[in-house]
């Protein structure tokens, strides 16, 4: 069997397992309720796409890594605990095929939980907001569905990066108990710890002039900066970038690639 076929077999197994797990359906429903509740509490859907992003951005910034860790924190730890990784050594299944297939299956599950409620919210905005929101933005100062699609695309990138971090910690854990502890610690660092570390560094060399670049080095700061620069500031004439766009984009790709390779190496060593 070719490596591609082995990858596909693992991927299908993960998807079938996810479909049978009702907990994931509950996560999707809760995510939808939270996003719609926050958006309507702030009045975003009646105001347009950009006001809706403003109302939900902070929640999405916390929800996405939380869901990613909920989906991925036991992805490698469970098979390691059951001894499956040792059995896999007797089969012609490469670490790339196994970790890649598990990751692809969990990523599809995570993106379904995150993207479907956001798309539903975007459709809701399209049917309830004023007629000016139906114009596609070609210059600054115009709200449009294109900006909301950008928001979803950036959220997808953030979700995939968060999931690889969860996979790395799961592979390093080696047991369900340590996986839970590492997941909670990793989630805390990812959501607030990295930003706090950057602000704390203001006394040790980071200046206000380099603060944007420093914030872009963390996954949460990079995601937030890209949303501000590519979504919110597009509709606000005269606003400068929150963080360097290219640094923030490379930062998310770097975290995704680094932690994915780390997860494979840790799984290989488990």
């Amino acid at each position: 069997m070719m490596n591609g076929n082995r990858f596909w077999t693992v991927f299908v197994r993960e998807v079938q397992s996810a479909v049978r797990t009702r907990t994931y359906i509950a996560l999707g429903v809760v995510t939808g309720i939270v996003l719609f509740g926050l958006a309507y509490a702030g009045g975003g859907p009646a105001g347009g796409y950009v006001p809706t992003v403003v109302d939900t951005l902070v929640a999405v910034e916390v929800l996405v890594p939380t869901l990613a860790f909920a989906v991925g924190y036991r992805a490698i730890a469970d098979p390691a605990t059951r001894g499956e990784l040792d059995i896999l050594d007797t089969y012609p299944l490469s670490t790339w095929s196994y970790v890649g297939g598990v990751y692809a299956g969990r990523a599809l599950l995570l993106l379904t939980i995150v993207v479907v409620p956001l798309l539903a919210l975007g459709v809701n905005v399209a049917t309830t907001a004023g007629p000016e929101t139906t114009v596609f933005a070609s210059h600054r100062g115009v709200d449009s569905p294109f900006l909301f699609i950008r928001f979803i695309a950036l959220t997808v990138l953030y979700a995939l990066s968060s999931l690889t971090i969860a996979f790395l910690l799961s592979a390093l854990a080696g047991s369900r108990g340590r996986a839970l502890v590492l997941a909670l610690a990793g989630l805390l660092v990812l959501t607030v710890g990295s930003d706090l570390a950057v602000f704390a560094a203001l006394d040790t060399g980071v200046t206000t002039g380099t603060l944007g670049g420093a914030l872009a080095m963390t996954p949460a700061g990079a995601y937030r900066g890209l949303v501000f620069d590519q979504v919110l500031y597009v509709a606000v004439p005269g606003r400068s970038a929150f963080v360097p766009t290219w640094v923030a984009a490379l930062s998310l790709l770097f975290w995704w690639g680094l932690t994915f390779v780390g997860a494979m190496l840790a799984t290989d060593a488990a």
Side-chain angles (χ1 to χ4, degrees):
M1 183 182 291
M2 302 293 289
N3 276 336
N5 292 335
R6 297 186 184 106
F7 167 89
W8 180 253
T9 300
V10 176
F11 168 75
V12 171
R13 187 200 67 166
E14 286 298 314
V15 173
Q16 289 175 338
S17 176
V19 170
R20 293 193 296 267
T21 306
R22 295 181 180 179
T23 303
Y24 295 137
I25 299 175
L27 282 177
V29 172
V30 170
T31 301
I33 292 173
V34 170
L35 292 177
F36 271 80
L38 287 172
Y40 271 90
Y49 298 100
V50 171
T52 302
V53 173
V54 172
D55 290 338
T56 57
L57 177 57
V58 174
V60 170
E61 196 175 318
V62 176
L63 264 177
V64 165
T66 302
L67 293 170
F69 275 76
V71 168
Y73 86 97
R74 286 169 49 183
I76 304 298
D78 268 359
T81 302
R82 293 193 297 263
E84 290 182 10
L85 299 182
D86 296 330
I87 296 176
L88 290 175
D89 288 338
T90 66
Y91 292 94
L93 177 63
S94 67
T95 303
W96 182 91
S97 297
Y98 179 74
V99 177
V102 173
Y103 178 79
R106 302 280 175 130
L108 179 61
L109 168 64
L110 173 63
L111 295 184
T112 301
I113 294 173
V114 173
V115 173
V116 170
L118 285 175
L119 285 175
L121 187 57
V123 171
N124 182 257
V125 174
T127 56
T128 58
E132 63 274 11
T133 60
T134 61
V135 179
F136 278 83
S138 58
H139 56 276
R140 288 186 178 274
V142 178
D143 190 14
S144 83
F146 185 60
L147 297 179
F148 200 78
I149 292 173
R150 283 189 191 177
F151 174 58
I152 293 177
L154 293 172
T155 303
V156 167
L157 184 58
Y158 184 44
L160 293 178
S161 298
S162 300
L163 185 60
T164 56
I165 295 173
F167 261 57
L168 173 59
L169 295 178
S170 180
L172 292 173
S175 71
R176 291 180 180 178
R178 284 195 293 273
L180 179 59
V181 173
L182 285 179
L184 291 175
L187 182 60
L188 184 63
V189 171
L190 183 60
T191 52
V192 297
S194 55
D195 284 351
L196 290 177
V198 171
F199 285 116
L202 285 172
D203 294 331
T204 59
V206 176
T207 66
T208 53
T210 59
L211 180 60
L215 285 171
M217 299 305 292
T218 68
Y223 168 69
R224 187 187 317 118
L226 286 171
V227 171
F228 269 82
D229 186 54
Q230 299 298 316
V231 179
L232 302 183
Y233 287 174
V234 173
V236 182
R239 298 300 298 269
S240 59
F242 178 62
V243 298
T245 301
W246 68 273
V247 175
L250 286 179
S251 174
L252 280 181
L253 292 174
F254 171 79
W255 281 107
W256 179 85
L258 177 70
T259 51
F260 186 73
V261 172
M264 284 196 295
L265 294 175
T267 302
D268 213 23

